[in-house]
Structure formats: C-alpha cells, structure tokens
Amino acid sequence: MSKSIHTTYKDLKHLTKKELGEQFDDPNSDLAALAKKSALKKKVLKDRKQKKTSNHKAE
C-alpha cells in the first residue's frame, strides 16, 4: 500500500513568516507533512535505483 501525503506547497503559499515559524515548531503542521513527503520521495527513488542496479548486476 502506498503512503499518500496530500499536502502541497500551495497550502503554504499564503502564510506569513511568523505563521511559517509557528508551523516549523509544530510536528503536526502542513510544513512538517511536506518534510515527511520529501524524505519519503527521496527514499523511494533511492530504493528504486538500488533495486534497478541490483537487477542489472544479477543478469
């Protein structure tokens, strides 16, 4: 099952610096969700790349 995070940068576009600072400290904010999403995407891409290279070495 995929891990879906339905938050985009558009959700943060209208916020002020003060509001972004508050979201930075809150672990349940949209900003934290975007950070998790970014880390998850990097991990998935890295895992796919490793799987792809390991399949080529096995052949």
Side-chain angles (χ1 to χ4, degrees):
M1 186 172 157
S2 68
K3 299 177 184 177
S4 298
I5 301 173
H6 301 286
T7 304
T8 64
Y9 288 100
K10 289 180 182 179
D11 298 335
L12 302 174
K13 198 170 192 176
H14 61 280
L15 300 179
T16 64
K17 277 189 174 184
K18 183 179 178 184
E19 291 171 330
L20 284 174
E22 292 170 357
Q23 285 210 3
F24 184 77
D25 297 331
D26 182 16
N28 297 321
S29 67
D30 288 339
L31 191 61
L34 281 173
K36 290 176 191 174
K37 181 179 180 178
S38 177
L40 182 63
K41 285 176 75 173
K42 286 180 183 179
K43 182 185 179 304
V44 167
L45 289 174
K46 183 178 177 183
D47 291 347
R48 279 189 200 150
K49 187 173 183 179
Q50 285 179 345
K51 184 178 178 183
K52 190 175 186 180
T53 57
S54 66
N55 283 342
H56 287 297
K57 288 180 183 178
E59 291 176 356

